[in-house]
Every structure is written in structure tokens, then in C-alpha cells.
Amino acid sequence: MAIRIERMIEKNGSYYWQPSKSLRDMGWQPQRLGRDLAAAIDRANRLNGEVASWRKGEAKPVTVEKNVERATMGHVVRRYRTEVLATKAKSTRATYSSYLNQIELWADDGRMPVRLVDRARCVVLKDALLTPPDIGAFETNGRKLRAAGLDDDRAALWLAHHAGIDAAIALLTGPPLALAKEVAPVILRKPALKPIHDERIYRVRVLCGREARPRLHRASGLLSVLKSLMRFALDKDMIGVNPMADIEIPEPPARQQVIPAGAREAIAAIATAQGKPSIALALSLGFNLMQREGDLLKLGASDYRELLPHEVPAEARPALVGRDGTVRGFALRQHKTKVWIGVPVIGELREQVDAAIAAARAGDVKPINPPVIIDEDSGKPYQAFKFQRLFRKYVNLAAERAAEAGDVALANELADIEFRDLRRTGMVHMFELGVPDHFIAAVSGHTLERTKKILEVYGPRNTRMAASGVAMAVTQLKVRAAAEARDGEQEQQA
């Protein structure tokens, strides 16, 4: 009687393990088992055992996707990624994917039946996300780390809390792994110690005071994605009601930071002195073009062109024309919105851009489309993480120099600055100058409705705006009084 082993077939004297189409779709690949029947049977049985373990959610080959049961949260997340997330911009996919991973972990690693995710369970999750962490020991150790000359950062505080303050100081000031292995071998073996990798310590600057606050942005983002996910499950008839439908999602406080001219100049001066004029150029472009960081870093010389007469209104041309009699600017297609806009570049910024492109083309190798913001170390466009790290470094240095010089006001202005604040700063700057909303929208690339919302949130109702408003009212009153006086004179003459 012929021996029959599941998924094993024979062809031309050789044996093969042949998974079904559904298994192949999940990443299982056909395997050649050789000509020896006994060995082929043994190998086929082992592969079938791996499939069985995989179906239970246990170990799996690297190339095989995780198995999820239908009607589970894992199944909903997988369909959501395929049917909804795939249509969104890359940056949005990355953000949503991070939240979806957390939601899967919360839902018993995706094994929880979706019907069990009720309103009460979602409320418990919301409450947990909004509960501030207890950082008593972290705060105490933070003071000791400062006394040792170390910054308050997550790696240092984590080590101080779990390994002791002396071990943390030794780990962060001595040869990273050589000394660390002697000081805290048990700590090093803990998988949670992610700041130590290879032979360096990745430091993430997070002040103790910020750790004490609930992560409203993170909580709002995760709950919003969960609400969207459950709405998707409702639309696909996987559940009868969206448990997140009437749960209020906390709105994180909108960032109000704008970067004053003095702070921008201080950061640019530090970057230039450190041999990174590209960061200074990025500051100017971020403020003037009001584009996303990712879009700015992708700018190439081919995006910088002359704006033709029909693109520039005749009344605007005198203010925009350069020394060569032309108007030049950037033609931008924003990565997220896909909107094409042309933004003129004038004055000192135009000189900076011209110089940067000329320098990029001055070498032996003359690239056709060199990056405008070029990493001086590699001669290539910046990687996002490096650009962000350098920008943060120069902001901190500028703040330290200001504090050392006794300029407390400037040091405070530099606190908690992020590169994305430049976009808001540019919009608010134009708003303060009285530029109409629709002109600001044309530069930033937002819709008019979105621009109005941004200016409503971020447009400062400050003394400058109040003074401008009063001055405008006074001017209008004078105009009206003059008009009324003229009317009176005309009536008398009549």
C-alpha cells in the first residue's frame, strides 16, 4: 500500500513538499526533499509540524507571515493594513503601523476575538493611557545624574533605576561595553535595555519633567487609530457596533511654539560654526517655504527654476526679481498632499541656495540633480534621523551658549523647539504681516480650510497682533473721518 504523507508529492523519482495556495500566499515555499524516501518522509513530517505550530500562533519561519484566526483582532488589523493603510502616504503608514502594533499587543497579541472588544475594555485602555507614570525614583536619580555631569535621558534614568546610580554613571561615562559587562552583566542581558547596541549608547533626551506627564499625543493617536480600526470592522460586518463610537478621545494641546528670529539666527550660527551650513540653509528654507521636513530634504537642483512671467503677477514681480532680472523659486510637489506649488525665493535665501547648488556641482563628479540640503559628511541627501539629531544638537548648544552668556530670554525661547515649528512660524509670520489666508495657503500647500484652522490655533493673539489691530482701526477711523469731512464740505458747498 502506498504511503501518503500530507503535502508530499513524487515527481520523476524526486520527492517534494508542496504547500497549498493559501499557505503559499502566507509565505510557505515548496521544498525539494530529495530522492531518499525515508529522509523525504522525515523532512515532510517536520515541515507539517511547523505548519501546525504556526496555525496555533507559535514559532514560524522568518519568511512566513504570522497566522491569525478569522474574527480576531489580528485578522481585523491585517485586513485594515491591506485595504485601508496601503492607500495612505508613506509617513502616515509608518505612524499608523506603529499604533496598530501596539493595539495587537493590547489585544492578546492579536488573538482576542474582535467581538470581545467592548466599550468597557476600550475605556480601561483609555484610562491606562492617560495615567501619568510614577517616576519618583527616576526623578531622584535624574538629579544625581546631573550632578555627575550627565544629561537627563531615558537610557541613563532607566539604568539608574534598575542598575543603581553608580552603575549607570559608570556605563554612560566609561567604555560602553567593556566596562558595562563588568559593572552590570545582569542588566545588559535584559532585552529591555535597548539603548545599548554594538559599542555605543543611543541617548534619547527626555527630561524628567516630561516623563511625569501623560503622553497625550500618543494616547490620542492610538485611540484614534483604534476607533478607525473598529469602524472598519463594523463596515465589514465583523461586529455589530463600534465600541469606540461614543468614547471621547482627548485632544493633545496644540503646539504653540514659534521660533523667533533671534533663536533661528542662534541655531544657524552654531550650525555654521560646527561645519554644517546645510542646517542653517534648512532653517531658512523651512521658515520661508513652509514645507514639511521630509519634502525639504528631498529638494534637488532641478526643483529650483525660473518662474516665468505668466506665473508671477506683474504687480508682484518688482518685489521678487533678483539681481539677474529673473524670479527664481522652487517647484514643489508635497509628498503627502501631492499638490504642486511654486514658491519664489528672494534675497539672502536665494544667494544661499545658489551657493549650495554651485558648491555641489564644483567637484570632479558633477551630479545632474544635486540635493539642495546636502549632508557635508556624505555629499548626499540627509537621512531623516541624522538631520533630526543634528538639529536637536545645535538647538541644545545654542540654548547652552545663551544661558552661559546670561541671555535667559533667548535660552527660554530655544527650549522645546522642533524643526516642524518652522512651518508654523513662517505661516504666523505672514499672518502677522497681514497676508490674507489664501496667499498663505498657496505657499504652505494647505487647503484654505486647513490654513484657517491652523491660523486659528497657532496664530498668536499677542500684543503685536492687538497693536496692529488697534492701529488698523485708528487708521480706518481717520479715513472715515476724512471722508465724512469731505462729504460735509461738499454738502455745505452744495
Side-chain angles (χ1 to χ4, degrees):
M1 183 174 65
I3 298 176
R4 181 174 177 79
I5 303 297
E6 188 178 13
R7 303 186 186 92
M8 189 179 86
I9 63 173
E10 183 270 335
K11 188 175 182 180
N12 298 328
S14 293
Y15 297 97
Y16 299 87
W17 185 75
Q18 184 67 41
S20 64
K21 183 180 183 304
S22 60
L23 290 177
R24 293 197 302 274
D25 290 342
M26 298 302 295
W28 292 95
Q29 299 296 322
Q31 303 287 330
R32 183 173 181 176
L33 305 178
R35 291 178 174 273
D36 185 286
L37 178 59
I41 291 175
D42 180 63
R43 174 65 175 151
N45 284 332
R46 280 189 283 121
L47 287 168
N48 290 334
E50 290 180 9
V51 171
S53 298
W54 167 77
R55 290 192 186 281
K56 296 176 183 177
E58 299 173 359
K60 67 177 183 63
V62 176
T63 58
V64 176
E65 295 184 26
K66 178 181 175 182
N67 183 52
V68 293
E69 296 292 334
R70 293 180 66 83
T72 63
M73 284 294 288
H75 176 68
V76 178
V77 167
R78 171 173 290 175
R79 288 193 59 181
Y80 185 87
R81 289 182 192 273
T82 303
E83 301 177 30
V84 177
L85 207 56
T87 64
K88 297 187 179 294
K90 183 179 179 181
S91 58
T92 305
R93 290 200 303 270
T95 302
Y96 272 51
S97 183
S98 175
Y99 287 132
L100 290 171
N101 290 339
Q102 296 176 52
I103 290 170
E104 280 199 275
L105 288 174
W106 166 70
D108 192 20
D109 202 21
R111 291 187 290 267
M112 181 186 296
V114 65
R115 59 182 176 77
L116 294 184
V117 181
D118 55 12
R119 187 180 186 281
R121 194 182 295 272
C122 293
V123 169
V124 170
L125 172 63
K126 173 185 172 181
D127 292 342
L129 290 170
L130 295 178
T131 301
D134 181 9
I135 61 158
F138 284 78
E139 193 171 5
T140 301
N141 287 332
R143 288 194 292 270
K144 295 179 181 178
L145 288 165
R146 282 195 297 275
L150 295 171
D151 295 326
D152 290 328
D153 61 65
R154 189 170 299 179
L157 293 176
W158 193 93
L159 285 167
H161 185 68
H162 292 282
I165 188 66
D166 294 332
I169 292 174
L171 283 167
L172 292 173
T173 57
L177 289 185
L179 180 62
K181 290 177 181 176
E182 299 175 6
V183 175
V186 176
I187 296 298
L188 281 175
R189 287 197 293 268
K190 290 190 176 182
L193 188 58
K194 294 180 179 178
I196 292 184
H197 176 65
D198 295 333
E199 293 192 358
R200 60 185 297 195
I201 297 176
Y202 290 96
R203 301 161 67 100
V204 182
R205 294 174 61 89
V206 179
L207 297 176
C208 288
R210 295 184 201 170
E211 289 294 305
R213 300 199 299 264
R215 304 295 183 80
L216 288 180
H217 284 84
R218 182 179 300 175
S220 176
L222 190 146
L223 292 172
S224 296
V225 172
L226 178 59
K227 186 173 186 176
S228 175
L229 180 69
M230 301 311 292
R231 184 167 57 245
F232 171 79
L234 177 64
D235 292 342
K236 300 300 179 181
D237 295 325
M238 299 180 189
I239 53 177
V241 62
N242 183 352
M244 288 289 298
D246 63 344
I247 294 179
E248 182 178 355
I249 297 177
E251 285 291 333
R255 285 187 64 82
Q256 300 288 343
Q257 288 87 340
V258 294
I259 308 179
R264 298 197 303 273
E265 292 167 1
I267 299 168
I270 291 290
T272 303
Q274 296 278 326
K276 289 290 184 181
S278 58
I279 302 296
L281 175 58
L283 272 166
S284 296
L285 288 172
F287 173 71
N288 288 279
L289 299 186
M290 294 181 284
Q291 303 300 305
R292 296 177 178 83
E293 175 191 302
D295 294 320
L296 291 174
L297 294 180
K298 292 177 181 177
L299 286 178
S302 63
D303 300 314
Y304 182 61
R305 64 173 180 82
E306 180 181 354
L307 300 184
L308 302 177
H310 72 274
E311 297 178 292
V312 181
E315 64 273 16
R317 191 174 184 82
L320 304 175
V321 71
R323 295 176 183 176
D324 61 354
T326 66
V327 178
R328 296 188 67 84
F330 284 98
L332 306 170
R333 189 186 188 200
Q334 294 183 308
H335 179 69
K336 189 170 184 178
T337 62
K338 309 300 182 185
V339 175
W340 282 98
I341 56 174
V343 181
V345 174
I346 62 172
E348 184 179 347
L349 177 58
R350 177 168 172 173
E351 294 177 2
Q352 286 181 288
V353 173
D354 289 337
I357 295 175
R361 288 174 169 165
D364 295 334
V365 178
K366 301 185 185 303
I368 297 175
N369 185 29
V372 175
I373 303 174
I374 189 169
D375 182 355
E376 288 87 353
D377 296 333
S378 66
K380 298 178 180 179
Y382 272 102
Q383 292 182 302
F385 75 90
K386 182 177 181 181
F387 178 83
Q388 293 160 5
R389 189 168 65 239
L390 283 174
F391 181 77
R392 172 50 48 195
K393 173 184 176 181
Y394 298 140
V395 169
N396 293 337
L397 281 174
E400 290 170 8
R401 299 280 173 83
E404 290 170 359
D407 193 342
V408 178
L410 178 58
N412 288 335
E413 287 176 348
L414 288 162
D416 202 25
I417 279 178
E418 297 179 12
F419 188 85
R420 60 176 172 161
D421 297 332
L422 286 166
R423 193 180 197 196
R424 181 183 315 109
T425 301
M427 296 179 72
V428 171
H429 175 68
M430 295 185 79
F431 179 63
E432 287 182 326
L433 293 175
V435 178
D437 296 352
H438 57 284
F439 287 161
I440 298 175
V443 177
S444 70
H446 294 98
T447 64
L448 183 57
E449 180 182 3
R450 177 61 178 160
T451 300
K452 289 180 179 295
K453 288 182 179 179
I454 290 173
L455 294 175
E456 177 63 31
V457 174
Y458 301 128
R461 288 4 180 211
N462 54 22
T463 303
R464 288 174 59 87
M465 293 296 292
S468 297
V470 172
M472 187 178 296
V474 170
T475 300
Q476 291 299 319
L477 283 173
K478 291 180 178 179
V479 171
R480 182 180 299 176
E484 290 174 350
R486 286 194 303 271
D487 292 342
E489 291 177 358
Q490 291 175 358
E491 289 178 1
Q492 290 177 0
Q493 293 175 358

PDB file of all heavy atoms in Angstrom, residues 110-135:
ATOM      1  N   GLY A 110      -3.089  39.975  19.286  1.00  0.00           N
ATOM      2  CA  GLY A 110      -3.973  39.790  18.136  1.00  0.00           C
ATOM      3  C   GLY A 110      -4.908  38.608  18.238  1.00  0.00           C
ATOM      4  O   GLY A 110      -5.765  38.419  17.366  1.00  0.00           O
ATOM      5  N   ARG A 111      -4.775  37.808  19.294  1.00  0.00           N
ATOM      6  CA  ARG A 111      -5.611  36.590  19.401  1.00  0.00           C
ATOM      7  C   ARG A 111      -7.000  36.867  19.963  1.00  0.00           C
ATOM      8  O   ARG A 111      -7.879  36.010  19.892  1.00  0.00           O
ATOM      9  CB  ARG A 111      -4.890  35.549  20.267  1.00  0.00           C
ATOM     10  CG  ARG A 111      -3.652  34.952  19.630  1.00  0.00           C
ATOM     11  CD  ARG A 111      -3.100  33.820  20.467  1.00  0.00           C
ATOM     12  NE  ARG A 111      -2.510  34.310  21.702  1.00  0.00           N
ATOM     13  CZ  ARG A 111      -1.219  34.614  21.845  1.00  0.00           C
ATOM     14  NH1 ARG A 111      -0.400  34.501  20.823  1.00  0.00           N
ATOM     15  NH2 ARG A 111      -0.750  35.049  23.004  1.00  0.00           N
ATOM     16  N   MET A 112      -7.216  38.031  20.538  1.00  0.00           N
ATOM     17  CA  MET A 112      -8.508  38.341  21.150  1.00  0.00           C
ATOM     18  C   MET A 112      -9.596  38.409  20.080  1.00  0.00           C
ATOM     19  O   MET A 112      -9.448  39.087  19.071  1.00  0.00           O
ATOM     20  CB  MET A 112      -8.429  39.682  21.886  1.00  0.00           C
ATOM     21  CG  MET A 112      -9.738  40.075  22.579  1.00  0.00           C
ATOM     22  SD  MET A 112      -9.626  41.738  23.286  1.00  0.00           S
ATOM     23  CE  MET A 112      -8.351  41.494  24.515  1.00  0.00           C
ATOM     24  N   PRO A 113     -10.721  37.690  20.269  1.00  0.00           N
ATOM     25  CA  PRO A 113     -11.839  37.805  19.317  1.00  0.00           C
ATOM     26  C   PRO A 113     -12.336  39.245  19.259  1.00  0.00           C
ATOM     27  O   PRO A 113     -12.473  39.908  20.298  1.00  0.00           O
ATOM     28  CB  PRO A 113     -12.895  36.866  19.911  1.00  0.00           C
ATOM     29  CG  PRO A 113     -12.116  35.888  20.731  1.00  0.00           C
ATOM     30  CD  PRO A 113     -10.967  36.668  21.301  1.00  0.00           C
ATOM     31  N   VAL A 114     -12.594  39.736  18.084  1.00  0.00           N
ATOM     32  CA  VAL A 114     -12.973  41.130  17.934  1.00  0.00           C
ATOM     33  C   VAL A 114     -14.290  41.422  18.642  1.00  0.00           C
ATOM     34  O   VAL A 114     -14.503  42.544  19.133  1.00  0.00           O
ATOM     35  CB  VAL A 114     -13.061  41.485  16.427  1.00  0.00           C
ATOM     36  CG1 VAL A 114     -14.166  40.717  15.739  1.00  0.00           C
ATOM     37  CG2 VAL A 114     -13.250  42.985  16.247  1.00  0.00           C
ATOM     38  N   ARG A 115     -15.160  40.439  18.777  1.00  0.00           N
ATOM     39  CA  ARG A 115     -16.454  40.660  19.436  1.00  0.00           C
ATOM     40  C   ARG A 115     -16.293  40.941  20.931  1.00  0.00           C
ATOM     41  O   ARG A 115     -17.206  41.467  21.582  1.00  0.00           O
ATOM     42  CB  ARG A 115     -17.372  39.459  19.226  1.00  0.00           C
ATOM     43  CG  ARG A 115     -16.815  38.155  19.762  1.00  0.00           C
ATOM     44  CD  ARG A 115     -17.722  36.968  19.490  1.00  0.00           C
ATOM     45  NE  ARG A 115     -17.133  35.716  19.921  1.00  0.00           N
ATOM     46  CZ  ARG A 115     -17.086  35.313  21.181  1.00  0.00           C
ATOM     47  NH1 ARG A 115     -17.664  36.055  22.119  1.00  0.00           N
ATOM     48  NH2 ARG A 115     -16.515  34.166  21.503  1.00  0.00           N
ATOM     49  N   LEU A 116     -15.129  40.572  21.498  1.00  0.00           N
ATOM     50  CA  LEU A 116     -14.900  40.807  22.929  1.00  0.00           C
ATOM     51  C   LEU A 116     -14.363  42.209  23.218  1.00  0.00           C
ATOM     52  O   LEU A 116     -14.238  42.601  24.378  1.00  0.00           O
ATOM     53  CB  LEU A 116     -13.919  39.770  23.484  1.00  0.00           C
ATOM     54  CG  LEU A 116     -14.391  38.313  23.505  1.00  0.00           C
ATOM     55  CD1 LEU A 116     -13.358  37.430  24.163  1.00  0.00           C
ATOM     56  CD2 LEU A 116     -15.744  38.187  24.209  1.00  0.00           C
ATOM     57  N   VAL A 117     -14.030  42.935  22.178  1.00  0.00           N
ATOM     58  CA  VAL A 117     -13.541  44.302  22.379  1.00  0.00           C
ATOM     59  C   VAL A 117     -14.765  45.207  22.530  1.00  0.00           C
ATOM     60  O   VAL A 117     -15.303  45.732  21.557  1.00  0.00           O
ATOM     61  CB  VAL A 117     -12.661  44.756  21.189  1.00  0.00           C
ATOM     62  CG1 VAL A 117     -12.144  46.169  21.433  1.00  0.00           C
ATOM     63  CG2 VAL A 117     -11.507  43.795  20.993  1.00  0.00           C
ATOM     64  N   ASP A 118     -15.205  45.358  23.766  1.00  0.00           N
ATOM     65  CA  ASP A 118     -16.406  46.160  24.021  1.00  0.00           C
ATOM     66  C   ASP A 118     -16.020  47.535  24.550  1.00  0.00           C
ATOM     67  O   ASP A 118     -14.848  47.877  24.716  1.00  0.00           O
ATOM     68  CB  ASP A 118     -17.330  45.445  25.006  1.00  0.00           C
ATOM     69  CG  ASP A 118     -16.614  45.076  26.305  1.00  0.00           C
ATOM     70  OD1 ASP A 118     -15.483  45.564  26.527  1.00  0.00           O
ATOM     71  OD2 ASP A 118     -17.177  44.301  27.096  1.00  0.00           O
ATOM     72  N   ARG A 119     -17.026  48.325  24.833  1.00  0.00           N
ATOM     73  CA  ARG A 119     -16.783  49.702  25.276  1.00  0.00           C
ATOM     74  C   ARG A 119     -16.029  49.748  26.593  1.00  0.00           C
ATOM     75  O   ARG A 119     -15.117  50.572  26.772  1.00  0.00           O
ATOM     76  CB  ARG A 119     -18.117  50.444  25.406  1.00  0.00           C
ATOM     77  CG  ARG A 119     -17.958  51.923  25.697  1.00  0.00           C
ATOM     78  CD  ARG A 119     -19.300  52.631  25.829  1.00  0.00           C
ATOM     79  NE  ARG A 119     -19.127  54.067  25.963  1.00  0.00           N
ATOM     80  CZ  ARG A 119     -18.782  54.684  27.083  1.00  0.00           C
ATOM     81  NH1 ARG A 119     -18.583  53.965  28.198  1.00  0.00           N
ATOM     82  NH2 ARG A 119     -18.627  56.004  27.102  1.00  0.00           N
ATOM     83  N   ALA A 120     -16.383  48.877  27.509  1.00  0.00           N
ATOM     84  CA  ALA A 120     -15.731  48.870  28.825  1.00  0.00           C
ATOM     85  C   ALA A 120     -14.234  48.600  28.688  1.00  0.00           C
ATOM     86  O   ALA A 120     -13.405  49.243  29.352  1.00  0.00           O
ATOM     87  CB  ALA A 120     -16.382  47.817  29.722  1.00  0.00           C
ATOM     88  N   ARG A 121     -13.889  47.660  27.831  1.00  0.00           N
ATOM     89  CA  ARG A 121     -12.476  47.340  27.633  1.00  0.00           C
ATOM     90  C   ARG A 121     -11.734  48.541  27.021  1.00  0.00           C
ATOM     91  O   ARG A 121     -10.589  48.820  27.376  1.00  0.00           O
ATOM     92  CB  ARG A 121     -12.347  46.119  26.728  1.00  0.00           C
ATOM     93  CG  ARG A 121     -10.958  45.484  26.712  1.00  0.00           C
ATOM     94  CD  ARG A 121     -10.936  44.310  25.757  1.00  0.00           C
ATOM     95  NE  ARG A 121     -11.800  43.230  26.200  1.00  0.00           N
ATOM     96  CZ  ARG A 121     -11.409  42.257  27.023  1.00  0.00           C
ATOM     97  NH1 ARG A 121     -10.175  42.226  27.461  1.00  0.00           N
ATOM     98  NH2 ARG A 121     -12.252  41.313  27.364  1.00  0.00           N
ATOM     99  N   CYS A 122     -12.386  49.251  26.105  1.00  0.00           N
ATOM    100  CA  CYS A 122     -11.755  50.407  25.474  1.00  0.00           C
ATOM    101  C   CYS A 122     -11.580  51.553  26.474  1.00  0.00           C
ATOM    102  O   CYS A 122     -10.583  52.281  26.426  1.00  0.00           O
ATOM    103  CB  CYS A 122     -12.584  50.875  24.286  1.00  0.00           C
ATOM    104  SG  CYS A 122     -12.616  49.694  22.910  1.00  0.00           S
ATOM    105  N   VAL A 123     -12.548  51.703  27.392  1.00  0.00           N
ATOM    106  CA  VAL A 123     -12.440  52.747  28.415  1.00  0.00           C
ATOM    107  C   VAL A 123     -11.271  52.457  29.347  1.00  0.00           C
ATOM    108  O   VAL A 123     -10.529  53.362  29.749  1.00  0.00           O
ATOM    109  CB  VAL A 123     -13.760  52.865  29.209  1.00  0.00           C
ATOM    110  CG1 VAL A 123     -13.569  53.754  30.436  1.00  0.00           C
ATOM    111  CG2 VAL A 123     -14.862  53.428  28.326  1.00  0.00           C
ATOM    112  N   VAL A 124     -11.085  51.191  29.697  1.00  0.00           N
ATOM    113  CA  VAL A 124      -9.945  50.806  30.539  1.00  0.00           C
ATOM    114  C   VAL A 124      -8.628  51.156  29.842  1.00  0.00           C
ATOM    115  O   VAL A 124      -7.686  51.661  30.466  1.00  0.00           O
ATOM    116  CB  VAL A 124      -9.999  49.298  30.873  1.00  0.00           C
ATOM    117  CG1 VAL A 124      -8.699  48.850  31.539  1.00  0.00           C
ATOM    118  CG2 VAL A 124     -11.183  48.997  31.775  1.00  0.00           C
ATOM    119  N   LEU A 125      -8.561  50.895  28.538  1.00  0.00           N
ATOM    120  CA  LEU A 125      -7.364  51.229  27.781  1.00  0.00           C
ATOM    121  C   LEU A 125      -7.127  52.741  27.794  1.00  0.00           C
ATOM    122  O   LEU A 125      -6.000  53.203  28.014  1.00  0.00           O
ATOM    123  CB  LEU A 125      -7.506  50.747  26.338  1.00  0.00           C
ATOM    124  CG  LEU A 125      -6.402  51.187  25.371  1.00  0.00           C
ATOM    125  CD1 LEU A 125      -5.046  50.619  25.791  1.00  0.00           C
ATOM    126  CD2 LEU A 125      -6.730  50.761  23.938  1.00  0.00           C
ATOM    127  N   LYS A 126      -8.177  53.515  27.569  1.00  0.00           N
ATOM    128  CA  LYS A 126      -8.050  54.972  27.572  1.00  0.00           C
ATOM    129  C   LYS A 126      -7.537  55.459  28.923  1.00  0.00           C
ATOM    130  O   LYS A 126      -6.610  56.288  28.990  1.00  0.00           O
ATOM    131  CB  LYS A 126      -9.404  55.604  27.258  1.00  0.00           C
ATOM    132  CG  LYS A 126      -9.408  57.119  27.398  1.00  0.00           C
ATOM    133  CD  LYS A 126     -10.800  57.684  27.206  1.00  0.00           C
ATOM    134  CE  LYS A 126     -10.823  59.182  27.543  1.00  0.00           C
ATOM    135  NZ  LYS A 126     -12.176  59.762  27.381  1.00  0.00           N
ATOM    136  N   ASP A 127      -8.118  54.955  30.008  1.00  0.00           N
ATOM    137  CA  ASP A 127      -7.702  55.380  31.345  1.00  0.00           C
ATOM    138  C   ASP A 127      -6.237  55.044  31.602  1.00  0.00           C
ATOM    139  O   ASP A 127      -5.490  55.829  32.195  1.00  0.00           O
ATOM    140  CB  ASP A 127      -8.587  54.737  32.404  1.00  0.00           C
ATOM    141  CG  ASP A 127     -10.021  55.253  32.363  1.00  0.00           C
ATOM    142  OD1 ASP A 127     -10.236  56.337  31.755  1.00  0.00           O
ATOM    143  OD2 ASP A 127     -10.913  54.588  32.917  1.00  0.00           O
ATOM    144  N   ALA A 128      -5.822  53.867  31.142  1.00  0.00           N
ATOM    145  CA  ALA A 128      -4.429  53.452  31.342  1.00  0.00           C
ATOM    146  C   ALA A 128      -3.474  54.366  30.571  1.00  0.00           C
ATOM    147  O   ALA A 128      -2.403  54.734  31.065  1.00  0.00           O
ATOM    148  CB  ALA A 128      -4.247  52.009  30.906  1.00  0.00           C
ATOM    149  N   LEU A 129      -3.871  54.750  29.358  1.00  0.00           N
ATOM    150  CA  LEU A 129      -3.008  55.610  28.544  1.00  0.00           C
ATOM    151  C   LEU A 129      -2.888  57.009  29.136  1.00  0.00           C
ATOM    152  O   LEU A 129      -1.865  57.684  28.947  1.00  0.00           O
ATOM    153  CB  LEU A 129      -3.560  55.709  27.124  1.00  0.00           C
ATOM    154  CG  LEU A 129      -3.470  54.443  26.264  1.00  0.00           C
ATOM    155  CD1 LEU A 129      -4.272  54.627  24.978  1.00  0.00           C
ATOM    156  CD2 LEU A 129      -2.018  54.122  25.938  1.00  0.00           C
ATOM    157  N   LEU A 130      -3.909  57.444  29.847  1.00  0.00           N
ATOM    158  CA  LEU A 130      -3.919  58.810  30.372  1.00  0.00           C
ATOM    159  C   LEU A 130      -3.419  58.905  31.805  1.00  0.00           C
ATOM    160  O   LEU A 130      -3.409  59.982  32.390  1.00  0.00           O
ATOM    161  CB  LEU A 130      -5.333  59.386  30.296  1.00  0.00           C
ATOM    162  CG  LEU A 130      -5.884  59.577  28.881  1.00  0.00           C
ATOM    163  CD1 LEU A 130      -7.307  60.103  28.924  1.00  0.00           C
ATOM    164  CD2 LEU A 130      -4.995  60.517  28.085  1.00  0.00           C
ATOM    165  N   THR A 131      -3.013  57.786  32.387  1.00  0.00           N
ATOM    166  CA  THR A 131      -2.487  57.791  33.750  1.00  0.00           C
ATOM    167  C   THR A 131      -1.010  58.170  33.732  1.00  0.00           C
ATOM    168  O   THR A 131      -0.207  57.485  33.085  1.00  0.00           O
ATOM    169  CB  THR A 131      -2.651  56.411  34.409  1.00  0.00           C
ATOM    170  OG1 THR A 131      -4.045  56.060  34.424  1.00  0.00           O
ATOM    171  CG2 THR A 131      -2.111  56.426  35.833  1.00  0.00           C
ATOM    172  N   PRO A 132      -0.621  59.231  34.420  1.00  0.00           N
ATOM    173  CA  PRO A 132       0.799  59.616  34.422  1.00  0.00           C
ATOM    174  C   PRO A 132       1.652  58.523  35.059  1.00  0.00           C
ATOM    175  O   PRO A 132       1.245  57.899  36.036  1.00  0.00           O
ATOM    176  CB  PRO A 132       0.826  60.894  35.276  1.00  0.00           C
ATOM    177  CG  PRO A 132      -0.588  61.373  35.308  1.00  0.00           C
ATOM    178  CD  PRO A 132      -1.443  60.146  35.205  1.00  0.00           C
ATOM    179  N   PRO A 133       2.852  58.274  34.526  1.00  0.00           N
ATOM    180  CA  PRO A 133       3.730  57.263  35.123  1.00  0.00           C
ATOM    181  C   PRO A 133       4.294  57.739  36.445  1.00  0.00           C
ATOM    182  O   PRO A 133       4.453  58.936  36.682  1.00  0.00           O
ATOM    183  CB  PRO A 133       4.842  57.115  34.076  1.00  0.00           C
ATOM    184  CG  PRO A 133       4.865  58.421  33.366  1.00  0.00           C
ATOM    185  CD  PRO A 133       3.443  58.903  33.335  1.00  0.00           C
ATOM    186  N   ASP A 134       4.570  56.798  37.315  1.00  0.00           N
ATOM    187  CA  ASP A 134       5.194  57.103  38.604  1.00  0.00           C
ATOM    188  C   ASP A 134       6.703  57.158  38.397  1.00  0.00           C
ATOM    189  O   ASP A 134       7.333  56.136  38.108  1.00  0.00           O
ATOM    190  CB  ASP A 134       4.828  56.026  39.627  1.00  0.00           C
ATOM    191  CG  ASP A 134       5.445  56.316  40.994  1.00  0.00           C
ATOM    192  OD1 ASP A 134       5.993  57.426  41.161  1.00  0.00           O
ATOM    193  OD2 ASP A 134       5.388  55.436  41.864  1.00  0.00           O
ATOM    194  N   ILE A 135       7.281  58.317  38.548  1.00  0.00           N
ATOM    195  CA  ILE A 135       8.710  58.436  38.251  1.00  0.00           C
ATOM    196  C   ILE A 135       9.507  58.935  39.452  1.00  0.00           C
ATOM    197  O   ILE A 135      10.532  59.598  39.306  1.00  0.00           O
ATOM    198  CB  ILE A 135       8.953  59.381  37.069  1.00  0.00           C
ATOM    199  CG1 ILE A 135       8.441  60.775  37.423  1.00  0.00           C
ATOM    200  CG2 ILE A 135       8.336  58.888  35.799  1.00  0.00           C
ATOM    201  CD1 ILE A 135       9.077  61.855  36.585  1.00  0.00           C
TER     202      ILE A 135
END
